[in-house]
Amino acid sequence: MADLRTNFAGIRSPNPFWLASAPPTDKAYNVVRAFRAGWGGVVWKTLGEDPPVVNVSSRYGGVSYNGQRLAGMNNIELITDRPLELNLQEIKEVKRDWPDRALIVSLMVPCEEDSWKAILARVEDTGADGLELNFGCPHGMSERGMGAAVGQVPEYVEMVTRWCKQYSRLPVIVKLTPNISDILQPARAAKRGGADAVSLINTVQSIVSVDLDLMAPTPVVDGLGTHGGYCGPAVKPIALRMVGDIARDGETAGLPISGIGGVSTWRDAAEFIALGAGSVQVCTAAMHHGFRIIDDMVDGLSNWMDEKGYEDLRAFQGRAIPNYVHWQDLNLDWRTVAHIDPDLCIGCGLCHIACEDTAHQAIAAYAKGTNRAYEVIDAECVGCNLCHHICPVEGCITMVPEYSDRPKLTWTNHPSNPMRAKPEVASV
């Protein structure tokens, strides 16, 4: 059976599935239930200075798509509103009772050295395994000069990370905001500051909907709304790209990454790990389905690894990174053509409509008895994959590569590229 044990920046856990810093990790009651269910670790909901913050009601907005509830979720909740001393006491007790599980404490205090120094000493006394610096929260706290307001300024990221490494012996994980043009800048700053790892992504600034009766963004608080943080399955593509960017970057190479953003299944977790993550954090899926989803996640990942012959997570961690390249490194001489399986085709015509109206007019429609049938016009097909993604029947439309013995041709050496390197001419 595959070995799912992890050693992430010196923090050990029985599996790579951690609950992210969020409502599911707000108190000992929830965390203990999670550990009993089988979660490998938790990041305790972000602690701050006393007095505790005041949250609003309501706090969540949801996006449903094509019948799926919570394809995305928006929240305007702040960090913990429970007293700091109560949180610290519960963390100490939970870690004492569950020594084999990873317990990381998320922190956010004003960008002042004394504030960080004071809270670090108190957290270290709990016996927690590590720290996660919340430089990502995009609402409420950022307006107070914390959260994303720090994460968007690489100099601040480096400075605060240095303070934490100076005043604490615990591993320091820097949680990065996606609300930035270049994720590499804060990641590099975290490494310069001595961070032991990074985690990403935090939530994406968003307004998920507008109540057209109240004429206010949702969730509505006494007739008013604000922007919040977007999470859930819808943000996974953003998270995968940013994780991959850090994993392949020369300046951040070797920096452990905890992947966050839309992890709902074992397959999601495997994709993050293949792009370099050493652990994954889950929030929305647990809030949607409860803690027992860990069973499917652990069993699914383990079974897939057994099937592939991967003995442990390191066997496939980062395996996709060499194949994640810049656009100009793709082979421009590679061609695929769509193929429609007539035996599987149900004649809905969606592929034809999409291709005819919005793509390359590469699918012909014709009568077949009393029905309509569809066929790809190979000469017109550019291999865009649109029909493949639109078709409602799994496996009906496949993309068939046209293999060629011609050498790889990238934009870097393409004749049309005005910036391509010119061959040197030998002097006479």
Side-chain angles (χ1 to χ4, degrees):
M1 188 172 181
D3 183 357
L4 299 187
R5 290 176 297 176
T6 63
N7 183 345
F8 181 82
I11 302 170
R12 298 181 181 276
S13 60
N15 64 61
F17 298 102
W18 299 353
L19 285 171
S21 170
T25 63
D26 189 36
K27 58 177 73 74
Y29 177 84
N30 304 71
V31 171
V32 169
R33 285 177 60 84
F35 283 163
R36 285 175 178 161
W39 290 85
V42 303
V43 183
W44 203 278
K45 187 174 181 183
T46 306
L47 310 184
E49 293 181 320
D50 280 329
V53 302
V54 178
N55 274 296
V56 296
S57 175
S58 58
R59 304 176 187 179
Y60 305 141
V63 174
S64 298
Y65 181 73
N66 201 26
Q68 178 184 344
R69 303 288 286 176
L70 283 189
M73 186 168 76
N74 162 291
N75 85 88
I76 57 172
E77 186 164 311
L78 302 183
I79 64 175
T80 184
D81 53 12
R82 304 169 72 237
L84 177 59
E85 190 55 46
L86 176 60
N87 275 301
L88 294 173
Q89 182 60 38
E90 290 186 357
I91 291 167
K92 186 174 185 177
E93 293 170 358
V94 172
K95 185 58 193 177
R96 179 198 64 203
D97 295 340
W98 297 87
D100 68 322
R101 308 301 172 92
L103 201 163
I104 295 93
V105 178
S106 176
L107 295 175
M108 183 194 296
V109 296
C111 205
E112 301 165 355
E113 186 172 358
D114 287 343
S115 295
W116 283 97
K117 182 178 179 180
I119 200 168
L120 288 169
R122 299 179 71 180
V123 171
E124 197 161 313
D125 287 342
T126 66
D129 297 302
L131 309 169
E132 185 178 78
L133 314 186
N134 185 343
F135 295 159
C137 187
H139 56 271
M141 306 308 294
S142 55
E143 288 88 335
R144 308 178 197 187
M146 294 180 276
V150 177
Q152 291 166 340
V153 183
E155 293 80 8
Y156 292 171
V157 172
E158 180 177 353
M159 178 179 68
V160 178
T161 303
R162 286 190 188 280
W163 292 342
C164 294
K165 289 301 295 180
Q166 178 181 352
Y167 297 119
S168 178
R169 295 169 296 177
L170 294 176
V172 172
I173 305 168
V174 175
K175 189 171 187 178
L176 303 177
T177 175
N179 304 297
I180 193 167
S181 59
D182 183 1
I183 195 64
L184 294 179
Q185 298 310 311
R188 291 169 179 172
K191 188 170 184 180
R192 288 194 301 270
D196 298 283
V198 292
S199 60
L200 67 155
I201 58 175
N202 209 309
T203 53
V204 181
Q205 282 186 331
S206 64
I207 294 176
V208 293
S209 64
V210 174
D211 187 314
L212 294 179
D213 294 317
L214 298 176
M215 283 296 170
T218 61
V220 180
V221 180
D222 193 22
L224 305 176
T226 186
H227 77 267
Y230 196 43
C231 57
V235 308
K236 176 187 158 190
I238 300 170
L240 284 174
R241 195 274 293 179
M242 291 187 171
V243 166
D245 282 357
I246 294 173
R248 73 177 180 182
D249 180 55
E251 295 187 37
T252 53
L255 187 64
I257 302 170
S258 185
I260 314 170
V263 179
S264 305
T265 67
W266 69 265
R267 185 176 292 276
D268 297 329
E271 291 175 15
F272 274 94
I273 295 169
L275 277 173
S279 71
V280 293
Q281 297 185 33
V282 179
C283 173
T284 307
M287 295 178 75
H288 192 177
H289 303 291
F291 289 152
R292 296 308 310 184
I293 63 170
I294 188 63
D295 292 337
D296 289 340
M297 288 181 165
V298 168
D299 290 345
L301 183 59
S302 179
N303 291 338
W304 174 79
M305 289 171 62
D306 287 341
E307 188 178 302
K308 293 291 185 179
Y310 297 130
E311 294 184 0
D312 55 31
L313 297 172
R314 291 172 298 179
F316 73 97
Q317 184 181 0
R319 288 283 291 270
I321 290 299
N323 297 324
Y324 174 37
V325 299
H326 297 286
W327 189 93
Q328 60 263 30
D329 297 320
L330 298 174
N331 186 1
L332 299 178
D333 215 17
W334 176 261
R335 185 169 185 261
T336 60
V337 175
H339 172 73
I340 301 173
D341 186 335
D343 294 329
L344 293 177
C345 180
I346 59 175
C348 66
L350 290 175
C351 61
H352 171 70
I353 294 169
C355 190
E356 192 72 16
D357 287 354
T358 68
H360 300 278
Q361 298 77 53
I363 297 180
Y366 61 94
K368 187 177 182 180
T370 58
N371 300 319
R372 299 273 283 178
Y374 302 91
E375 187 175 8
V376 175
I377 306 170
D378 289 359
E380 300 297 331
C381 181
V382 301
C384 70
N385 291 24
L386 177 61
C387 59
H388 167 77
H389 292 298
I390 285 176
C391 180
V393 180
E394 188 72 29
C396 178
I397 300 181
T398 54
M399 305 307 298
V400 182
E402 289 191 349
Y403 294 99
S404 171
D405 293 332
R406 290 178 291 189
K408 181 177 179 180
L409 181 64
T410 68
W411 179 244
T412 304
N413 59 6
H414 196 278
S416 300
N417 182 3
M419 303 299 293
R420 72 187 178 101
K422 300 295 191 294
E424 293 185 9
V425 178
S427 59
V428 178

